[in-house]
Amino acid sequence: METAEGGRQSRPPAGAFLLYSSLLINALFFAHYFLISPTGLDDDDGGSCGLSWALKAAREAEAVAAADCSGHGQVFLDGVPGDDGRPGCECNTCFSGANCSLRSPNCTADANSGNPMFLEPYWTRHAAASAVVVSGWHRLSYRTTDGLFQSVELENHIRRLHGAVGNAVVDDKRLVFGAGSTQLINALVHALSSPPDDGSAPASVVATVPYYPPYKEQTGMFDGRKYRWDGTTDTWANATTHHNSTTKNKTIIEFVTSPNNPDAVLHRPVLASSAAIVDHAYYWPHFTHIPAPADEDVMLFTMTKLSGHAGSRLGYKTWALIRDEKVAKRAYEYVQSNTMGASRDTQLRMLGVVKVMLANLHGDEDIFAFGHDVMRSRWRRLSAVVSRSRRVSLQEIPPQFCNYFKRIREPSPAYAWVKCEREEDEDCYEALLKANIITRSGVGYGASSRYTRVSLLKSDDDFDVLMERVTDLVNAEQYEAPDDSSSM
Amino acid sequence: METAEGGRQSRPPAGAFLLYSSLLINALFFAHYFLISPTGLDDDDGGSCGLSWALKAAREAEAVAAADCSGHGQVFLDGVPGDDGRPGCECNTCFSGANCSLRSPNCTADANSGNPMFLEPYWTRHAAASAVVVSGWHRLSYRTTDGLFQSVELENHIRRLHGAVGNAVVDDKRLVFGAGSTQLINALVHALSSPPDDGSAPASVVATVPYYPPYKEQTGMFDGRKYRWDGTTDTWANATTHHNSTTKNKTIIEFVTSPNNPDAVLHRPVLASSAAIVDHAYYWPHFTHIPAPADEDVMLFTMTKLSGHAGSRLGYKTWALIRDEKVAKRAYEYVQSNTMGASRDTQLRMLGVVKVMLANLHGDEDIFAFGHDVMRSRWRRLSAVVSRSRRVSLQEIPPQFCNYFKRIREPSPAYAWVKCEREEDEDCYEALLKANIITRSGVGYGASSRYTRVSLLKSDDDFDVLMERVTDLVNAEQYEAPDDSSSM
């Protein structure tokens, strides 16, 4: 540089100063761009932006997510790689092709499972806030903060969420995390039964029809000596009214689901004498109005239906709020001896998810407003078509005042509880299956086979296919004789 | 540009051209820096380096990880925040203070649990390769690729790892993932027992002394009608030799741990007639020589002792290799009905971890070479001190040829199986507890109380404290009468 500028003594220095300054700034920019940032040279747009070890993982995740699946599928980091070494699109049901752009005609609608995919678009919109980086050394240990198996910070945030939504009284309750609701159901039945060696009769586990089938199935599967499935509440309600001697010293554990799965009705325990386990999986403003904070002795909640993270299945995704300290301790010990707590990876991710929900309450991006919009619109569309039918009908749900939204809200249930009205459609599940709609028969819920459950929780694509098949079914009514349903 | 160059007829253009060019380059740099990169203005060192939604999470993770905990603790993203709103250091046992710089004098050594923290430094060194970004929408669904509950890609990588290490024959086996070893143990016992309603006698579940206590505890806890804990193999070995009629049509399920927990001996099933479940949790080159690939009908492996990720507890961290298709199917169905698969978050993280291990096999950063170095050095140090003692002794482990390292390797067991030699030290656990060393009594392993298990798997800090207490114990021998041990 000095040599090149050597011959310029006689000229006024202003231009030269400008030139030198400009060149110096050039040099600084170059230095910053290509020397200080070690990855600058091989990046498309340079710079490590101050990141070191997390940069590679962040780039990989964004590169994978950028793939085009036509809005009918997703690419996942741990998908099976194709010939190009990258994972390909995993298409939604009824879609196929490398970019999920091909739609199968007359595809069967699968409305069986309660897979809460309706919330996926919410998390895609909140990508930055809900992403989390898990380092290779993150919580290797069996134990977490203060030697506990439960995350203190996650518990604090869940308590805050209940308070802000106003759907549960938490201050006088212990919070116990379980690894999935199956485990927690068993932990609670165990905690509410008498100790194994006290010689008392087994506790009776009961529920009101229509009930969520796993309560019966799980109680049977674990086949414990201190409790057994013992039918439905109507039998016991009569017995207890008449002060029947057989019920006097008996422990009755009543399962209550509120709002109820399948029919969305808000329930309270019906047996005054029983210990109740109240499942509030759907007691969030997506799915129901919130008349008041729930305050039962033993309450169950789950992340699956709240945030939609069903795939994080095991791990801190299900929790119980328990008033009695001894019952809480027995439940905690059961969970701990069974699994030594749950996945720290999932716990970390769920903490991020709860933080996003909390930060957006009552704002433009409120997850409950989003969820309610989607589910209300689905219920409206389904109701409009079914109202034209004399063959199938839906449960009635009135609009109700919601303490969270501070207004009357339209219904937005998770499931349609469909009744087949024609005499020959005794098996409603079969009747809908013939119309290429997969549902879940009412029989498993302790109800008549005239009923079947239709899930409204799945993806937009799933719901669109469901609407097509239901519309076909209803449209066909005008062209057929009432006894000709088998030809559908 | 053309306008700017318009007035340059009379002067030679070199200097001005240089100036203009330089200014232009500056302008381009500025534009790129502050306009194209949207976050440029508020970053310390500018640039989003092409990242969008993953940037914030990456920065948060790095900021948290950068905290100084004096090498005696860690900060975790989901730690409880302090007054400054950031999570603080979580200190290793025997360390305290905001930066974990204070060491408690005469701290008790906790050598009870098999917490595999010795591998934490490996993952800190491989931060970039092992980090993973979990997006908010990552695998919300209950189901994964192809509708399965198991990750195809993780299974493929685990098979590759077994092949490359040469510790198991995988080609003729099915792979079933479990949510923790407890669940998988029960799934396998269930799968190997006769069906519930066939009227046959319950299967007998047995093991050889000293055995891993959970095999007995779990079999008892689940209290199934089709199997029961039935003591140790030596009883049954005699019975089967004499063709005792009671054993003829009986299903005997033998648990074998190889290398054995607690004493590191390689074992095979001893009852020729039994169905064996062989637990190979420690059959990796950190802990033992590999004489040949294992090839039993039902084998168990776990990520906990392989990579050290104990905290990912639930999720795809435990797997069984099963030869018989029917047994594999029963085990898979049991796991599925129990939990509907396992956490996708953990599965994604574990895939990254297996990839790092695979990429470094036989190189400078081989995890097995690293793990073997650490564990061998610990065994050497402990052996050297204990060799001066007449009060306590260790199991003997000879150096052996290892097919993975292709050379004779020194022993590096996960646990010391300590025997108290003095007549009055009948309860070895208590004798060590008086010397401020927490161990796990031999009684739980079906062995004599003269034995106790000392974990060597924990962090360097834990091992240093253990060495101090053991050295104190051994040094004290020369100053005391043999019957004065209670004063320690």
Side-chain angles (χ1 to χ4, degrees), chain A residues 136-144 344, chain B residues 71-74 76 90-93 110 113-124 287 303-312 349 367 370-371 374-375 378 414-415 455-463:
Chain A
W137 66 86
H138 178 73
R139 296 212 184 275
L140 293 193
S141 172
Y142 287 119
R143 285 173 184 271
T144 174
R344 317 302 177 239
Chain B
H72 301 296
Q74 290 275 13
F76 297 107
E90 298 186 16
C91 303
N92 294 347
T93 318
D110 185 347
S113 97
N115 212 349
M117 298 302 291
F118 75 103
L119 288 169
E120 191 178 66
Y122 183 83
W123 296 111
T124 321
F287 305 116
M303 199 66 89
T304 304
K305 308 302 188 216
L306 163 59
S307 70
H309 290 84
S312 302
R349 187 181 183 204
I367 190 170
F370 176 93
V374 175
M375 297 307 291
R378 290 183 181 184
Y415 306 102
S455 171
L456 308 178
L457 289 168
K458 299 176 78 179
S459 71
D460 285 340
D461 282 344
D462 288 318
F463 186 75

Side-chain angles (χ1 to χ4, degrees), chain A residues 82-312:
Chain A
D83 297 336
D84 62 349
R86 288 199 165 188
C89 291
E90 298 186 16
C91 302
N92 295 347
T93 318
C94 304
F95 288 86
S96 60
N99 297 324
C100 305
S101 55
L102 306 173
R103 193 171 191 280
S104 320
N106 298 315
C107 186
T108 293
D110 185 347
N112 178 352
S113 97
N115 212 349
M117 299 301 291
F118 74 103
L119 288 168
E120 191 179 66
Y122 183 84
W123 297 111
T124 320
R125 264 155 72 164
H126 292 271
S130 60
V132 66
V133 171
V134 187
S135 68
W137 66 86
H138 178 73
R139 296 212 184 275
L140 293 193
S141 172
Y142 287 119
R143 285 173 184 271
T144 174
T145 316
D146 300 330
L148 293 172
F149 292 99
Q150 296 202 172
S151 163
V152 176
E153 192 62 359
L154 182 57
E155 171 169 348
N156 290 343
H157 279 78
I158 285 176
R159 284 178 180 276
R160 255 176 250 168
L161 187 66
H162 278 303
V165 173
N167 71 334
V169 178
V170 291
D171 289 346
D172 58 346
K173 312 282 190 321
R174 310 261 155 169
L175 196 152
V176 176
F177 286 109
S181 59
T182 300
Q183 188 195 44
L184 203 50
I185 288 171
N186 284 288
L188 292 172
V189 170
H190 166 84
L192 291 169
S193 308
S194 48
D197 306 317
D198 78 342
S200 63
S204 293
V205 180
V206 299
T208 302
V209 172
Y211 52 76
Y212 181 52
Y215 293 134
K216 179 178 175 183
E217 290 159 13
Q218 290 298 327
T219 305
M221 181 173 152
F222 277 74
D223 194 23
R225 279 174 302 173
K226 296 313 288 179
Y227 52 86
R228 65 157 184 256
W229 179 257
D230 227 346
T232 58
T233 50
D234 45 359
T235 330
W236 291 95
N238 291 335
T240 46
T241 318
H242 295 89
H243 295 283
N244 190 313
S245 64
T246 58
T247 64
K248 230 176 188 169
N249 294 311
K250 199 163 176 56
T251 304
I252 301 175
I253 300 172
E254 180 183 354
F255 272 111
V256 181
T257 311
S258 180
N260 196 31
N261 175 356
D263 60 8
V265 176
L266 293 187
H267 277 308
R268 290 174 176 280
V270 297
L271 302 181
S273 61
S274 70
I277 297 173
V278 187
D279 181 345
H280 286 305
Y282 301 89
Y283 198 54
W284 297 99
H286 324 297
F287 305 115
T288 181
H289 67 290
I290 305 291
D295 195 22
E296 291 94 357
D297 289 349
V298 180
M299 301 187 275
L300 266 175
F301 289 89
T302 169
M303 199 66 88
T304 304
K305 308 300 188 215
L306 163 58
S307 71
H309 289 84
S312 304

Side-chain angles (χ1 to χ4, degrees), chain A residues 150-483:
Chain A
Q150 296 202 172
S151 163
V152 176
E153 192 62 359
L154 182 57
E155 171 169 348
N156 290 343
H157 279 78
I158 285 176
R159 284 178 180 276
R160 255 176 250 168
L161 187 66
H162 278 303
V165 173
N167 71 334
V169 178
V170 291
D171 289 346
D172 58 346
K173 312 282 190 321
R174 310 261 155 169
L175 196 152
V176 176
F177 286 109
S181 59
T182 300
Q183 188 195 44
L184 203 50
I185 288 171
N186 284 288
L188 292 172
V189 170
H190 166 84
L192 291 169
S193 308
S194 48
D197 306 317
D198 78 342
S200 63
S204 293
V205 180
V206 299
T208 302
V209 172
Y211 52 76
Y212 181 52
Y215 293 134
K216 179 178 175 183
E217 290 159 13
Q218 290 298 327
T219 305
M221 181 173 152
F222 277 74
D223 194 23
R225 279 174 302 173
K226 296 313 288 179
Y227 52 86
R228 65 157 184 256
W229 179 257
D230 227 346
T232 58
T233 50
D234 45 359
T235 330
W236 291 95
N238 291 335
T240 46
T241 318
H242 295 89
H243 295 283
N244 190 313
S245 64
T246 58
T247 64
K248 230 176 188 169
N249 294 311
K250 199 163 176 56
T251 304
I252 301 175
I253 300 172
E254 180 183 354
F255 272 111
V256 181
T257 311
S258 180
N260 196 31
N261 175 356
D263 60 8
V265 176
L266 293 187
H267 277 308
R268 290 174 176 280
V270 297
L271 302 181
S273 61
S274 70
I277 297 173
V278 187
D279 181 345
H280 286 305
Y282 301 89
Y283 198 54
W284 297 99
H286 324 297
F287 305 115
T288 181
H289 67 290
I290 305 291
D295 195 22
E296 291 94 357
D297 289 349
V298 180
M299 301 187 275
L300 266 175
F301 289 89
T302 169
M303 199 66 88
T304 304
K305 308 300 188 215
L306 163 58
S307 71
H309 289 84
S312 304
R313 186 100 205 121
L314 298 175
Y316 284 100
K317 60 153 279 299
T318 312
W319 63 95
L321 292 171
I322 303 172
R323 197 187 313 266
D324 186 273
E325 201 171 323
K326 276 185 209 154
V327 173
K329 193 160 172 283
R330 281 193 81 189
Y332 178 78
E333 284 167 0
Y334 182 95
V335 170
Q336 191 174 318
S337 77
N338 208 330
T339 61
M340 289 181 70
S343 171
R344 317 302 177 239
D345 320 344
T346 292
Q347 158 194 330
L348 173 61
R349 187 182 182 204
M350 290 306 127
L351 177 60
V353 158
V354 175
K355 281 181 178 173
V356 172
M357 293 192 286
L358 269 172
N360 289 291
L361 290 186
H362 296 297
D364 290 343
E365 289 290 330
D366 185 329
I367 190 170
F368 300 114
F370 176 92
H372 179 237
D373 275 355
V374 175
M375 297 307 290
R376 177 186 51 183
S377 136
R378 292 184 180 185
W379 184 246
R380 270 190 199 160
R381 287 172 63 192
L382 184 68
S383 301
V385 172
V386 171
S387 69
R388 295 193 284 114
S389 172
R390 299 181 63 179
R391 186 173 178 187
V392 289
S393 65
L394 303 176
Q395 77 265 46
E396 297 238 347
I397 312 174
Q400 298 265 16
F401 185 83
C402 175
N403 260 324
Y404 177 74
F405 291 126
K406 300 286 178 214
R407 57 176 171 77
I408 306 264
R409 70 191 277 296
E410 280 188 65
S412 56
Y415 306 101
W417 185 231
V418 171
K419 186 180 179 190
C420 284
E421 303 281 353
R422 285 188 188 166
E423 203 177 331
E424 68 271 26
D425 285 347
E426 253 180 288
D427 188 333
C428 195
Y429 167 83
E430 285 294 336
L432 291 184
L433 194 60
K434 280 184 193 143
N436 293 319
I437 304 169
I438 302 172
T439 61
R440 199 170 279 186
S441 168
V443 175
Y445 298 81
S448 146
S449 63
R450 286 215 163 264
Y451 289 88
T452 197
R453 190 191 80 167
V454 176
S455 172
L456 308 178
L457 290 168
K458 299 175 79 180
S459 71
D460 285 339
D461 282 344
D462 288 318
F463 186 74
D464 288 343
V465 173
L466 174 67
M467 283 305 299
E468 281 183 19
R469 293 296 82 77
V470 172
T471 307
D472 291 348
L473 176 79
V474 173
N475 287 346
E477 286 181 40
Q478 53 185 301
Y479 302 113
E480 65 183 3
D483 59 348

Side-chain angles (χ1 to χ4, degrees), chain B residues 183-230:
Chain B
Q183 189 196 44
L184 204 48
I185 289 171
N186 285 288
L188 291 173
V189 170
H190 166 84
L192 291 168
S193 308
S194 48
D197 306 316
D198 78 340
S200 62
S204 293
V205 181
V206 300
T208 302
V209 172
Y211 52 77
Y212 181 52
Y215 292 135
K216 179 179 176 183
E217 290 158 13
Q218 290 298 328
T219 306
M221 181 172 148
F222 276 74
D223 194 23
R225 281 174 301 172
K226 295 314 288 178
Y227 53 86
R228 63 158 186 256
W229 179 256
D230 226 346

